[in-house]
Amino acid sequence: MPWPQQRRLLGTKVQRLDGADKSTGRAKYSYDINRPRQCHARILRCPHAHARIKSIDTTVAERTPGFKSIHMVAKPGDELYFAGAELLGIAADTEEHAEDALRAIRVEYEPLPHHVKEAEALRSKGSTVGGGAEAANVTPAGDYSTDNFEQNAYRDAAAVHEAEYGVAIISHQCLETHGLVAQWDEKQENLTVWASTQAVPNTAQQLAQYFKIPATRVKCITHYMGGGFGSKFGPDIQGQIAAELAKKAAQPVKLMLDRAEEVTVGGMRPSAYGKVKIAANKEGLIQAFEVDCYGSPGVGRGATVNFNLLPYVYVNVPHIKRKHQAVRLNLQTARAMRAPGHPQNCLLTEQAIDDLAAKLNVNPIQMRLRNLPPNDQDAIKNAPTTYLALRHTIYTQQIDLVRKMSDWDRKWHPPGQGNGPIKTGLGIALHTWGGSGRGPNPTKITIGADGSVLCQSSTQDLGTAQRTVAAIIVAEILGLDPKDIMVEVGESQHGPSTPSGGSTTCPGTSPAILKAAENARDAFFAAIAPRMNVEVADLEIAPGHVVNKKANQRIPWRQACARLGMNPVQATGDWPTNAQLQQNKELRDLWTTRLSNQGVGGVQIAEVRVDTETGVVRCTNVWAVQDVGLVVNKLGCESQAAGGVVMGVNYALYEECIYDKNSGRLVNPDMEFYKLAGIRDMPQIHVHMMDMPERGVIGIGEPPTISTAAAVGNAIFNAIGVRVPFAPFTPERVLAALARPQGGAR
Amino acid sequence: MSSSKDSPKSGLSRRDFLRAGGAAATSVTGLAGATLETQAQPGQPPASHIPVLGPGPAKISLNVNGREMSTAVEPRVTLLDALRNYLDVTGCKRVCDRGTCGACTVMLEGKPVYSCSMLAVEAQGKAIRTAESLVDGGKLDPVPEKFVQFDAQQCGFCTPGFVVAMRAVLDRNPKATPEDVEQGLQGNICRCGTYEQMRDAIYSLCNRPRRS
Ligand code: FES
Ligand code: FES
């Protein structure tokens, strides 16, 4: 069952099936669900960055009009570690009444010391995030060095560059906030939730575990989803609260976070700041890469960069030394955000490389071509369609393409050249991502006697056009039009499916859908062949038809289906189990290197215009070339790639969670002082998808957002000749960089 | 206003409300208190031409997509919340809830407005149009049609707001240039980043070629 050699639909541009419903507001998102007798809930949150609760008085609140139920999650004596931490939830008949009830609660706190600034916490002793007397805010998150680094690293250096780079904490800012509607049945035994989630079955499962009830008693529905970007993998605490409140009120409860809550607790991409020292020999080959970096995962733990991928992409640098520290702060825990760690890695690596290239007087494109990692010899032999085996080839082709698309050779100038106050510049950066999928993703296909085709699975469509992906594959195999396929996703009762994170959905589901479609076709042939007095082998699919090769007869699809009589045909398809994949190399190669795959490369060039009098940067163009293995839907792929670029430009120029040092609170939990660009602020985006069908399907969600910010940073450097070290590259920071004594990056 | 109009559910009588309001006002500035008192002296009926609403729910009637819809909402309820929470018209989305993102955009007498930033009671007697009006049976209005054709939507949560804003620009000026349309979309934000595809849609709607 490899992918069809002749592709009628795969790789073409297919409009998303649910486009009309979404654009006319008919698509119902979780936020839009209104159940009969539905109540509304709000959460009371701690206003202090660190505090102990002295007392909570809810008596007045419980007497306010419309009050329905209350659920406590914190109690007097508890210590809370960030502003926004949950105390309790309240449900009332209307949202207005829920707000009133919340306001009527009195809480006394004992404020405790906090840290919300990385640099300060880095110098501090002790802990403001709990953990006992021995604990500290700063924890080691990685320490590595190649052998004899000190002796060898800078021996052959023709140029050494040392500087600081970094990027602030940002928020996912999903337009549909986190939350759900929870409804118990009359007996209070079965729970249904309409949740905004990237993991439909997991959300149901986690709630079942929380309530200690059988998993079959919880159903999660997510027909439409208004953005997640890595921040929505379960019911979260607000989901538990909503379900508790619904149970206590014996009425359905809707609990969606408001915008301030969404930005304060709905997820963030952690910061990363670091000193980088990089050296190259006179051929321009990078010899040493040294990085000492830190970042904040908020009150959570863990690295904020992808530690093993520093330097990023250029992994064959011989001498590497890296150190990373996690600086825990009194603010929400970091969550996975579109390519976790990678944009940070890319900024730390690619900007340093450009600064080094400038010292060496080498064109940034040359610098990259010289330092690309080679195709891995072992991989070429054993796994020839993998990233390892192809990376040099892929990047070389991509650089060549993007260079032509952007007219680099004509437009590029040495850093800082150009007359007048408005400077233009070009910058380049490379990225990589895994993007492999796995099972279980069981998919069921039903072919009806009326010719209708239904494809069902529990996977979710986050805006990735997943429904359309399924329809394309099924239609390709059955010779139909994608519009002929009815696709149902986003309901947990359709069985297990993998969460949509890390660009895994398309590669995780597509092979299973292919298998299901082929099984359905075979079952269909098996059912109709006897009735047509032919062998199964005599039948084949042609567009819109079933062909009886023996009689050289083309039967229109519906007519062929009519032969099914009363009984529709059903078939399922899914991945082999992990054990099967492990034991059987042939099977493994088929499913993980031909039907799907992992590891992509991408290259982006950004063009900027910098006003050196105001410091305002405009990104005018971005050219993006992306490998994604086999393209299923070219239209959807291009959309996601362009969307990734938009997110990257926002990251580079506008976004930042700003915390007030004294109160420890986020000062911009909104969409006006937390900047997100509108259409007029955005560059023209030119996407080129590389189609490499022999590689199989690989995910596209993460990669195209990774290198944009670094490309923009490099373009600014190219324009003004000085490095703006920290993103977002705001007018203030650009002006500060320009005001530094000349001499390029500091 | 007779006390019988007070909502028994609110648990706060109109007199309580005024007293509380007056007390709060005096403690802040005398002027605000004075304003309150000229409008309605405690114990005296207000001037008859000033309708007094609240704090309990008041009956309202809204003309949504050509249909009269009625419900009862407290006067503090925004047009957006009345549509979504009370009338189940959910094409307009609540995203920022304070006039920055445009996801709640509806047309009021043909003009695009942020429905989160207007009270429901103020919208009475005016024609309200939401994205749901841009499809008639199976027939799509050209604006959402182009959104579909060029894939100018991903998660789609911002999309009805953009579609309504774009429809409003083109209704007012059928000869609008792509720049005019982009201008009209400045109050809308898309997180998924569909601007590039939106430009394709805009150029097509304006009958202009885009790219060579
Ligand atoms: S919700 Fe009204 S402008 Fe954002
Ligand atoms: S399509 Fe998701 S926010 Fe615009």
Side-chain angles (χ1 to χ4, degrees):
Chain A
M1 55 165 290
W3 290 104
Q5 285 292 314
Q6 297 284 327
R7 295 182 290 162
R8 185 171 54 93
L9 297 166
L10 287 163
T12 64
K13 293 193 173 191
V14 179
Q15 293 174 13
R16 64 181 69 212
L17 296 181
D18 48 13
D21 284 340
K22 284 182 167 184
S23 57
T24 58
R26 290 174 301 179
K28 289 279 183 192
Y29 296 73
S30 304
Y31 210 145
D32 301 334
I33 298 297
N34 288 318
R35 306 296 301 167
R37 299 176 64 238
Q38 174 179 290
C39 305
H40 294 262
R42 312 284 314 142
I43 292 176
L44 186 71
R45 296 177 183 278
C46 178
H48 303 286
H50 184 195
R52 187 173 292 110
I53 303 172
K54 294 211 296 208
S55 67
I56 307 176
D57 180 358
T58 63
T59 46
V60 179
E62 291 181 47
R63 289 200 308 265
T64 54
F67 170 87
K68 292 286 177 184
S69 57
I70 185 164
H71 177 69
M72 310 294 297
V73 291
K75 56 183 184 312
D78 284 359
E79 211 172 314
L80 301 174
Y81 296 105
F82 62 98
E86 298 79 3
L87 270 81
L88 58 88
I90 274 195
D93 59 349
T94 65
E95 239 186 329
E96 297 76 43
H97 283 154
E99 301 267 359
D100 291 345
L102 214 61
R103 266 196 295 272
I105 295 170
R106 292 288 164 261
V107 185
E108 282 183 298
Y109 297 95
E110 177 196 344
L112 298 167
H114 64 256
H115 278 298
V116 291
K117 301 278 183 198
E118 292 91 342
E120 274 168 33
L122 201 58
R123 294 191 298 265
S124 72
K125 291 263 170 326
S127 164
T128 62
V129 289
E134 302 296 291
N137 284 50
V138 183
T139 57
D143 206 339
Y144 167 88
S145 170
T146 49
D147 292 340
N148 303 320
F149 182 89
E150 310 300 338
Q151 295 92 302
N152 300 334
Y154 302 102
R155 226 180 25 212
D156 306 323
V160 180
H161 173 77
E162 198 172 355
E164 250 183 279
Y165 306 91
V167 62
I169 290 174
I170 67 161
S171 158
H172 295 67
Q173 285 276 24
C174 310
L175 286 208
E176 181 182 33
T177 57
H178 287 62
L180 49 74
V181 174
Q183 176 171 3
W184 293 86
D185 65 353
E186 264 160 41
K187 290 202 260 168
Q188 301 266 48
E189 279 176 352
N190 296 295
L191 172 65
T192 303
V193 295
W194 290 260
S196 187
T197 181
Q198 304 175 229
V200 168
N202 283 29
T203 299
Q205 219 168 50
Q206 286 180 37
L207 281 167
Q209 274 162 12
Y210 172 82
F211 283 104
K212 303 196 172 58
I213 55 177
T216 45
R217 294 209 173 277
V218 185
K219 177 171 164 182
C220 177
I221 302 174
T222 309
H223 289 157
Y224 294 94
M225 211 276 208
F229 313 112
S231 68
K232 291 180 177 167
F233 284 112
D236 284 341
I237 190 158
Q238 73 272 358
Q240 297 167 357
I241 293 174
E244 290 272 14
L245 289 170
K247 192 161 199 180
K248 289 180 187 170
Q251 278 179 255
V253 164
K254 183 192 273 193
L255 200 173
M256 302 299 296
L257 303 190
D258 68 18
R259 182 54 40 188
E261 293 177 292
E262 181 67 19
V263 187
T264 307
V265 304
M268 61 92 159
R269 188 194 283 287
S271 54
Y273 297 94
K275 280 198 204 81
V276 178
K277 189 170 173 188
I278 183 170
N281 64 16
K282 56 183 187 310
E283 284 83 44
L285 289 174
I286 303 169
Q287 295 298 299
F289 185 90
E290 201 176 337
V291 59
D292 183 352
C293 59
Y294 64 89
S296 181
V299 76
R301 293 167 189 280
T304 73
V305 295
N306 190 313
F307 185 71
N308 293 325
L309 281 184
L310 278 171
Y312 193 55
V313 176
Y314 312 91
V315 289
N316 55 325
V317 172
H319 307 295
I320 297 171
K321 186 171 175 180
R322 51 185 177 236
K323 187 178 160 199
H324 181 53
Q325 289 175 300
V327 183
R328 299 180 65 203
L329 295 176
N330 297 93
L331 49 98
Q332 65 164 318
T333 299
R335 299 191 189 196
M337 182 167 177
R338 208 168 186 177
H342 281 233
Q344 294 94 320
N345 276 32
C346 192
L347 283 162
L348 289 175
T349 305
E350 286 284 20
Q351 298 191 108
I353 289 182
D354 253 31
D355 289 339
L356 182 65
K359 280 205 171 147
L360 287 163
N361 252 326
V362 175
N363 184 303
I365 283 194
Q366 284 311 323
M367 189 72 184
R368 277 151 182 98
L369 286 171
R370 278 177 213 175
N371 287 287
L372 282 178
N375 291 340
D376 185 275
Q377 288 306 316
D378 275 353
I380 293 173
K381 264 184 255 130
N382 301 321
T385 61
T386 57
Y387 171 78
L388 272 184
L390 292 166
R391 58 191 177 184
H392 192 275
T393 315
I394 290 173
Y395 284 125
T396 312
Q397 283 179 18
Q398 290 180 335
I399 289 174
D400 189 48
L401 253 167
V402 78
R403 176 183 196 165
K404 290 194 184 111
M405 283 165 70
S406 63
D407 204 4
W408 174 283
D409 292 343
R410 194 178 60 79
K411 285 191 199 157
W412 188 83
H413 56 70
Q417 276 187 7
N419 303 320
I422 311 267
K423 315 272 189 203
T424 60
L426 283 182
I428 184 169
L430 277 57
H431 61 250
T432 181
W433 181 254
S436 65
R438 284 292 183 276
N441 277 297
T443 304
K444 185 164 97 184
I445 292 174
T446 310
I447 302 175
D450 60 351
S452 61
V453 180
L454 174 66
C455 174
Q456 295 168 303
S457 70
S458 69
T459 191
Q460 45 280 317
D461 189 336
L462 314 188
T464 50
Q466 176 60 26
R467 282 182 180 84
T468 317
V469 162
I472 291 170
I473 297 169
V474 177
E476 179 83 61
I477 300 305
L478 298 182
L480 300 173
D481 188 273
K483 285 203 191 78
D484 298 333
I485 316 297
M486 184 171 160
V487 182
E488 288 182 1
V489 296
E491 294 195 20
S492 59
Q493 83 274 15
H494 289 317
S497 61
T498 49
S500 289
S503 304
T504 57
T505 307
C506 198
T509 59
S510 297
I513 298 165
L514 174 68
K515 178 104 179 137
E518 291 186 348
N519 288 348
R521 177 199 58 201
D522 296 348
F524 173 55
F525 285 172
I528 62 171
R531 294 176 200 172
M532 295 170 61
N533 283 323
V534 294
E535 299 295 315
V536 168
D538 295 329
L539 298 177
E540 76 180 14
I541 296 281
H545 292 81
V546 172
V547 180
N548 174 357
K549 285 186 281 184
K550 207 162 142 200
N552 203 7
Q553 179 193 20
R554 287 166 66 89
I555 311 153
W557 172 257
R558 274 163 175 264
Q559 275 179 32
C561 290
R563 316 246 163 140
L564 285 171
M566 297 301 285
N567 298 321
V569 170
Q570 281 196 341
T572 56
D574 196 5
W575 281 73
T577 62
N578 283 340
Q580 286 168 331
L581 287 178
Q582 234 151 50
Q583 283 153 16
N584 185 334
K585 177 168 183 331
E586 219 169 291
L587 205 59
R588 185 168 67 239
D589 283 351
L590 173 65
W591 284 79
T592 66
T593 72
R594 285 192 289 142
L595 291 176
S596 76
N597 212 323
Q598 72 174 339
V600 294
V603 179
Q604 295 186 10
I605 287 177
E607 182 182 62
V608 298
R609 229 176 29 226
V610 185
D611 185 331
T612 53
E613 285 172 355
T614 63
V616 171
V617 178
R618 276 196 66 95
C619 183
T620 46
N621 280 286
V622 173
W623 296 268
V625 178
Q626 185 63 50
D627 142 48
V628 64
L630 179 144
V631 174
V632 178
N633 183 2
K634 193 162 181 226
L635 191 61
C637 269
E638 287 177 355
S639 280
Q640 280 207 59
V645 168
V646 166
M647 201 172 252
V649 173
N650 275 319
Y651 194 41
L653 298 180
Y654 306 114
E655 290 184 64
E656 177 166 13
C657 286
I658 301 168
Y659 292 89
D660 174 47
K661 171 180 149 156
N662 294 319
S663 69
R665 295 178 67 168
L666 181 61
V667 300
N668 56 344
D670 50 40
M671 298 179 85
E672 63 202 298
F673 300 107
Y674 186 105
K675 297 289 179 201
L676 289 170
I679 191 165
R680 305 267 284 180
D681 310 303
M682 276 299 158
Q684 308 278 329
I685 302 165
H686 318 264
V687 172
H688 179 89
M689 301 304 305
M690 269 171 97
D691 189 14
M692 304 178 82
E694 66 284 2
R695 303 193 65 202
V697 179
I698 316 176
I700 177 71
E702 337 282 306
T705 203
I706 298 171
S707 60
T708 315
V712 170
N714 284 340
I716 296 171
F717 171 66
N718 180 245
I720 62 178
V722 291
R723 175 64 59 181
V724 187
F726 305 124
F729 308 117
T730 58
E732 189 191 2
R733 290 184 180 137
V734 171
L735 290 178
L738 284 165
R740 276 203 316 268
Q742 279 300 314
R746 63 171 186 186
Chain B
M1 188 189 195
S2 74
S3 63
S4 67
K5 278 201 184 158
D6 289 343
S7 160
K9 264 171 68 191
S10 78
L12 186 73
S13 78
R14 178 172 157 68
R15 190 168 298 180
D16 284 345
F17 177 72
L18 282 178
R19 206 184 293 133
T26 5
S27 68
V28 184
T29 97
L31 188 63
T35 316
L36 245 184
E37 275 171 28
T38 49
Q39 279 180 357
Q41 300 268 340
Q44 280 183 18
S48 58
H49 61 278
I50 304 172
V52 178
L53 299 169
K59 270 224 153 83
I60 60 162
S61 164
L62 297 175
N63 184 303
V64 186
N65 301 328
R67 262 180 64 202
E68 278 303 318
M69 300 177 118
S70 39
T71 183
V73 298
E74 291 182 37
R76 59 174 154 165
V77 171
T78 62
L79 174 58
L80 173 67
D81 289 356
L83 289 169
R84 292 180 53 82
N85 293 350
Y86 293 82
L87 300 170
D88 200 28
V89 178
T90 55
C92 40
K93 308 295 183 197
R94 185 160 81 184
V95 170
C96 71
D97 208 17
R98 57 195 276 181
T100 351
C101 74
C104 63
T105 306
V106 302
M107 277 189 248
L108 200 73
E109 297 292 341
K111 265 181 60 185
V113 299
Y114 289 149
S115 63
C116 70
S117 302
M118 166 173 217
L119 293 175
V121 292
E122 293 178 291
Q124 296 191 87
K126 300 188 173 132
I128 300 160
R129 266 183 88 192
T130 69
E132 284 97 330
S133 71
L134 299 177
V135 57
D136 187 6
K139 179 107 186 63
L140 269 186
D141 176 277
V143 173
E145 188 191 320
K146 295 294 176 191
F147 267 69
V148 178
Q149 182 184 339
F150 293 101
D151 207 34
Q153 50 186 345
Q154 289 182 42
C155 82
F157 211 69
C158 69
T159 311
F162 272 99
V163 165
V164 171
M166 208 183 277
R167 180 75 268 162
V169 175
L170 293 168
D171 279 354
R172 196 173 329 161
N173 176 12
K175 295 214 185 76
T177 63
E179 292 73 45
D180 297 334
V181 179
E182 283 204 11
Q183 194 84 33
L185 298 180
Q186 292 216 81
N188 293 65
I189 289 172
C190 172
R191 183 44 152 166
C192 299
T194 57
Y195 299 122
E196 187 59 27
Q197 285 71 19
M198 238 180 260
R199 288 193 189 117
D200 289 337
I202 293 169
Y203 275 77
S204 174
L205 281 163
C206 297
N207 288 314
R208 302 283 170 98
R210 185 157 194 244
R211 296 193 179 154
S212 40

